[in-house]
Amino acid sequence: WLAMKGDGEIDIDNTYIEGIVVVGGAVCCADQAAKIFHLLDHNVPIMFVDNGGNFGANITHGKYVADLYAARLEEREVPSRFIKYPRDPEKRTDNTLKEAVAIGPFIRDVIPKCKSLALCSWSVHQRRAYATFSRQNPDLMFVNQPAKVPLVPELLPRIVQEIDRLKEYGDKGDLIP
C-alpha cells in the first residue's frame, strides 16, 4: 500500500534537522513529531498551520486539527514554547496545498534561515504531503518521517482516494515530478 520505507521508524540526523512540520490531520502525526522532538534533544520547534479538511481529526474529534496537535504535543511533554502555530483559526488552512503554501512563510518567521525539516504525516498521506510541500517550498529540504497507521479494511477507500489525488494534483503541477 502507500506506506513509506521505514514507516513509523525514526531515521534522522540531528545535525541537519532544524524543525519539525506536522501535516495530515491525524493525531498520530503529532505523536511522531513528539518522538522526533525528544530524539533531537528538545531544541527544535514543531510547526503546523492546519485547521483540518475533508478527512481528519477535525471530523472525528470535532475540534480544529491545530488545537488537537498542540494538546497532544503537550501531553507528550513538548514544552509549549516549542509548539508553533497560528493561534487565530482564520490564519490556518484546510487542505494540503494551502498548508504547503502557508508553511513556507510561517517557517521563515520561526526559523529565518531554515533549510531542513522533518515532515510528519500519517503513512497514507506522507507521499502526497512530501511531494506538495517540496514543490511549494523548493528552498527547503523535507525529510520524510511518517507516523505508522495499521492497514485495516476501513482505510482502503482512503488509500484509493490518495492514489487518485496523487494523479490529479500531479497533473495540475502541485507536486514535485
Side-chain angles (χ1 to χ4, degrees), residues 29 48 55 81 92 138 146 165:
C29 306
F48 42 91
F55 310 97
R81 72 182 181 276
R92 301 182 202 152
R165 286 176 173 197

Side-chain angles (χ1 to χ4, degrees), residues 97 99-108 115 117 129 131-142 176:
L97 178 59
E99 221 171 329
V101 170
I103 202 70
F106 189 81
I107 290 167
R108 295 286 178 242
K115 297 211 184 301
L117 303 119
T132 307
F133 276 63
S134 295
R135 174 66 165 202
Q136 303 305 319
N137 300 283
D139 58 325
L140 295 171
M141 182 179 80
F142 293 98
I176 57 170

Side-chain angles (χ1 to χ4, degrees), residues 5 13 19-20 25 51 80 99-100 129 133 137 152 165 168:
K5 183 178 180 185
D13 176 351
I20 303 166
N51 261 341
S80 59
E99 221 171 329
F133 276 63
N137 300 283
V152 294
R165 286 176 173 197
E168 175 187 346

Side-chain angles (χ1 to χ4, degrees), residues 7-146:
D7 192 23
E9 297 173 17
I10 297 173
D11 181 23
I12 52 169
D13 176 351
N14 65 8
T15 60
Y16 70 89
I17 298 296
E18 300 169 83
I20 303 166
V21 174
V22 185
V23 59
V27 176
C28 64
C29 306
D31 292 342
Q32 185 76 347
K35 289 177 194 172
I36 294 167
F37 174 82
H38 293 299
L39 229 114
L40 294 175
D41 298 324
H42 313 82
N43 64 358
V44 298
I46 300 175
M47 299 166 279
F48 42 91
V49 294
D50 186 14
N51 261 341
N54 296 325
F55 310 97
N58 57 304
I59 294 169
T60 58
H61 294 277
K63 296 180 181 177
Y64 291 128
V65 168
D67 299 328
L68 291 167
Y69 285 165
R72 188 62 162 232
L73 290 166
E74 287 181 1
E75 287 172 14
R76 301 293 185 262
E77 299 181 7
V78 175
S80 59
R81 72 182 181 276
F82 291 103
I83 301 171
K84 307 292 185 181
Y85 66 104
R87 297 308 196 259
D88 179 356
E90 296 296 317
K91 294 185 178 178
R92 301 182 202 152
T93 63
D94 62 2
N95 70 44
T96 305
L97 178 59
K98 291 178 187 174
E99 221 171 329
V101 170
I103 202 70
F106 189 81
I107 290 167
R108 295 286 178 242
D109 286 345
V110 176
I111 312 169
K113 295 182 181 185
C114 184
K115 297 211 184 301
S116 180
L117 303 119
L119 182 66
C120 299
S121 189
W122 60 300
S123 54
V124 172
H125 183 251
Q126 185 76 36
R127 280 186 203 283
R128 184 165 57 89
Y130 173 79
T132 307
F133 276 63
S134 295
R135 174 66 165 202
Q136 303 305 319
N137 300 283
D139 58 325
L140 295 171
M141 182 179 80
F142 293 98
V143 178
N144 280 312
Q145 293 297 315

